[in-house]
Tab-separated table of all heavy atoms in Angstrom:
chain	number	residue	atom	x	y	z
A	137	VAL	N	-12.640	-4.647	2.908
A	137	VAL	CA	-11.180	-4.648	3.096
A	137	VAL	C	-10.828	-4.367	4.557
A	137	VAL	O	-9.975	-5.050	5.143
A	137	VAL	CB	-10.514	-3.626	2.156
A	137	VAL	CG1	-9.044	-3.441	2.486
A	137	VAL	CG2	-10.681	-4.083	0.697
A	140	ILE	N	-11.314	-7.521	6.523
A	140	ILE	CA	-10.247	-8.507	6.315
A	140	ILE	C	-9.015	-8.124	7.140
A	140	ILE	O	-8.420	-8.938	7.846
A	140	ILE	CB	-9.894	-8.623	4.820
A	140	ILE	CG1	-11.050	-9.269	4.047
A	140	ILE	CG2	-8.596	-9.411	4.628
A	140	ILE	CD1	-10.927	-9.152	2.538
A	246	LEU	N	0.163	-9.923	5.788
A	246	LEU	CA	-0.881	-9.391	4.910
A	246	LEU	C	-0.443	-8.018	4.388
A	246	LEU	O	-0.105	-7.133	5.187
A	246	LEU	CB	-2.204	-9.234	5.662
A	246	LEU	CG	-3.367	-8.622	4.873
A	246	LEU	CD1	-3.783	-9.552	3.721
A	246	LEU	CD2	-4.575	-8.381	5.775
A	247	GLN	N	-0.401	-7.893	3.074
A	247	GLN	CA	-0.002	-6.627	2.450
A	247	GLN	C	-1.236	-5.958	1.844
A	247	GLN	O	-1.892	-6.523	0.978
A	247	GLN	CB	1.020	-6.887	1.338
A	247	GLN	CG	1.442	-5.632	0.564
A	247	GLN	CD	2.214	-4.637	1.409
A	247	GLN	OE1	3.230	-4.995	2.023
A	247	GLN	NE2	1.765	-3.395	1.471
A	248	LEU	N	-1.553	-4.753	2.344
A	248	LEU	CA	-2.635	-3.954	1.770
A	248	LEU	C	-2.061	-3.179	0.579
A	248	LEU	O	-0.957	-2.635	0.667
A	248	LEU	CB	-3.174	-2.976	2.820
A	248	LEU	CG	-4.221	-1.966	2.361
A	248	LEU	CD1	-5.498	-2.682	1.907
A	248	LEU	CD2	-4.535	-0.990	3.498
A	249	LEU	N	-2.804	-3.158	-0.528
A	249	LEU	CA	-2.320	-2.483	-1.737
A	249	LEU	C	-3.413	-1.640	-2.380
A	249	LEU	O	-4.570	-2.056	-2.431
A	249	LEU	CB	-1.862	-3.520	-2.774
A	249	LEU	CG	-0.632	-4.364	-2.442
A	249	LEU	CD1	-0.559	-5.558	-3.382
A	249	LEU	CD2	0.633	-3.528	-2.520
A	309	SER	N	-0.101	-12.926	2.085
A	309	SER	CA	-1.406	-12.598	1.469
A	309	SER	C	-1.394	-11.160	0.970
A	309	SER	O	-0.769	-10.290	1.597
A	309	SER	CB	-2.529	-12.725	2.504
A	309	SER	OG	-2.689	-14.060	2.873
A	310	LEU	N	-2.113	-10.935	-0.137
A	310	LEU	CA	-2.225	-9.588	-0.713
A	310	LEU	C	-3.701	-9.227	-0.818
A	310	LEU	O	-4.505	-10.042	-1.291
A	310	LEU	CB	-1.617	-9.560	-2.128
A	310	LEU	CG	-0.191	-10.095	-2.322
A	310	LEU	CD1	0.167	-10.083	-3.814
A	310	LEU	CD2	0.809	-9.296	-1.511
A	311	VAL	N	-4.039	-8.020	-0.360
A	311	VAL	CA	-5.405	-7.519	-0.561
A	311	VAL	C	-5.294	-6.155	-1.235
A	311	VAL	O	-4.683	-5.234	-0.702
A	311	VAL	CB	-6.161	-7.353	0.769
A	311	VAL	CG1	-7.533	-6.737	0.523
A	311	VAL	CG2	-6.328	-8.701	1.464
A	312	MET	N	-5.855	-6.065	-2.445
A	312	MET	CA	-5.832	-4.806	-3.195
A	312	MET	C	-7.245	-4.229	-3.248
A	312	MET	O	-8.214	-4.947	-3.491
A	312	MET	CB	-5.325	-5.039	-4.630
A	312	MET	CG	-5.296	-3.784	-5.483
A	312	MET	SD	-4.723	-4.097	-7.179
A	312	MET	CE	-2.946	-4.286	-6.869
A	313	LEU	N	-7.350	-2.920	-3.012
A	313	LEU	CA	-8.638	-2.230	-3.124
A	313	LEU	C	-8.535	-1.162	-4.209
A	313	LEU	O	-7.559	-0.402	-4.234
A	313	LEU	CB	-9.004	-1.563	-1.796
A	313	LEU	CG	-10.232	-0.634	-1.816
A	313	LEU	CD1	-11.508	-1.426	-2.153
A	313	LEU	CD2	-10.386	0.078	-0.474
A	345	HIS	N	-2.338	-16.046	-2.876
A	345	HIS	CA	-3.355	-15.439	-2.008
A	345	HIS	C	-3.492	-13.964	-2.346
A	345	HIS	O	-3.139	-13.092	-1.561
A	345	HIS	CB	-2.963	-15.602	-0.523
A	345	HIS	CG	-2.997	-17.020	-0.045
A	345	HIS	ND1	-4.175	-17.696	0.167
A	345	HIS	CD2	-1.989	-17.891	0.236
A	345	HIS	CE1	-3.890	-18.936	0.575
A	345	HIS	NE2	-2.580	-19.076	0.608
A	346	PHE	N	-3.994	-13.688	-3.555
A	346	PHE	CA	-4.153	-12.293	-3.995
A	346	PHE	C	-5.643	-12.008	-4.158
A	346	PHE	O	-6.304	-12.610	-5.004
A	346	PHE	CB	-3.423	-12.079	-5.318
A	346	PHE	CG	-3.646	-10.725	-5.956
A	346	PHE	CD1	-3.899	-9.582	-5.197
A	346	PHE	CD2	-3.589	-10.579	-7.346
A	346	PHE	CE1	-4.108	-8.340	-5.780
A	346	PHE	CE2	-3.791	-9.334	-7.944
A	346	PHE	CZ	-4.050	-8.217	-7.159
A	347	LEU	N	-6.181	-11.124	-3.328
A	347	LEU	CA	-7.598	-10.760	-3.393
A	347	LEU	C	-7.728	-9.324	-3.895
A	347	LEU	O	-7.090	-8.414	-3.344
A	347	LEU	CB	-8.239	-10.871	-2.003
A	347	LEU	CG	-9.670	-10.321	-1.867
A	347	LEU	CD1	-10.640	-11.146	-2.736
A	347	LEU	CD2	-10.112	-10.329	-0.413
A	349	VAL	N	-10.421	-6.338	-4.449
A	349	VAL	CA	-11.763	-5.882	-4.058
A	349	VAL	C	-12.078	-4.591	-4.817
A	349	VAL	O	-11.242	-3.668	-4.844
A	349	VAL	CB	-11.836	-5.629	-2.537
A	349	VAL	CG1	-13.221	-5.142	-2.122
A	349	VAL	CG2	-11.478	-6.917	-1.769
Side-chain angles (χ1 to χ4, degrees):
V137 171
I140 291 167
L246 177 65
Q247 177 66 55
L248 174 64
L249 293 165
S309 293
L310 308 175
V311 176
M312 179 181 285
L313 172 64
H345 292 287
F346 173 30
L347 171 65
V349 179

